[in-house]
Amino acid sequence: MKPMSQTKLDEIKSTASAQFKAATSSKSLYDLKVQFLGKSGALTEVMKEMANLPKEEKPLFGKKVNEIKNFLEQVYVEAEEALKKAEMNERLATEELDLTLPAYVRQAGSEHPVYKVIEEIFTIMARLGYSVRTGPLIEKDYYNFEALNIPADHPARDMQDTFFIDQHHVLRTHTSPIQIHSLENEKPPLRIIGTGPVFRCDSDISHLPNFHQIEGMCVDQKVSMADLKGTISFFVREFFGPGLKTRFRPSFFPFTEPSAEVDCSCPICKGKGCSLCKHTGWIEIGGCGLINPKVFYNAKISYPEWQGFAFGFGIERMGIIKYGIDDIRLFPENDVRFVRQFLS
Ligand code: DAH
């Protein structure tokens, strides 16, 4: 064999094995493998010289090349193994898996505060034997006004307040028509609670054109203002918290006689006076009274054989008081950040 080729082979052997061993990453090691043992690598280049060799030297040269190839492949495998091991140890040391990190929490939906209040009222009133009724949102003029003894010239019918659908239909302005549907379709004694959206042509910082009310009605053989006061006082304590007082202020509603406005002592300052109760210690939550005999007459219920009381509260208002919400317009905005605060 020509000493020239022999020297080249020895050089490749020693350089390649030294570089394989000195490689600092499996990537650079692989690049070296390509450089020395690849299809157009150094060893292949030397192989090409075989063609110029005398015939009898070819087998010896070929044998030598194969030996070096096998030797270098062995060095490569060992170096690769050592590097992979080192790299793995390095990863284990640096890429720590912190099992104490909090897990990803799936965002849960939450009930809208209006429906949270409604559900709570249902639960409290169910304990007094009340069950739930609903009614249409588009009401006949008769149910929204007439049957409730609201005459044609009553201010509640004013174009300012009522959304008229046509001459005889309105978007209900209150939940009181639910009383009439119940009186017409059911037989007393009755203890019902009705709820849902109501609509008024009114919008400012403390009024929404679409808000919610809750209506209660009790019809029995002997019903007094004392029963009404007892029921509402119980409800206020259960809903807002123990120790809260309820007071009735004389008022007027066409469908009740006598009528009263219901105030509860301010749940925030407990009656001492704060900005929520405008420093009066009291907050108005709705209206109530004994059912006007005219309403019974319209619904063909015999009075005084049957008597009753009714009350109506604003749901958003109760939510504002209970949860300390400072702007009624947050309710219909549908901002998930607001609603999420009521996750239970
Ligand atoms: N419907 C009345 C309103 O929207 C509230 C009301 C007052 C309801 C007295 C009643 C009641 O049932 O007895 O202003």
Side-chain angles (χ1 to χ4, degrees), residues 148 173-177 179 198 200 211 213-216 253 255-256 259-260 286-291 309-313:
L148 286 159
T173 58
H174 53 176
T175 43
S176 300
Q179 290 184 33
V198 298
R200 287 187 199 176
F211 60 103
Q213 282 189 338
I214 193 118
E215 190 82 17
F253 297 103
F255 35 93
T256 44
S259 304
C288 68
L290 294 186
I291 296 172
F309 65 68
F311 56 89
F313 301 150

Side-chain angles (χ1 to χ4, degrees), residues 137-154:
L137 305 190
I138 295 176
E139 275 292 4
K140 283 192 178 135
D141 181 290
Y142 176 77
Y143 288 99
N144 198 76
F145 297 125
E146 201 81 33
L148 286 159
N149 192 36
I150 303 175
D153 54 359
H154 192 274

Side-chain angles (χ1 to χ4, degrees), residues 121-140:
I121 297 174
F122 284 172
T123 310
I124 296 168
M125 296 310 288
R127 287 161 57 197
L128 297 179
Y130 285 73
S131 57
V132 176
R133 302 290 183 280
T134 53
L137 305 190
I138 295 176
E139 275 292 4
K140 283 192 178 135

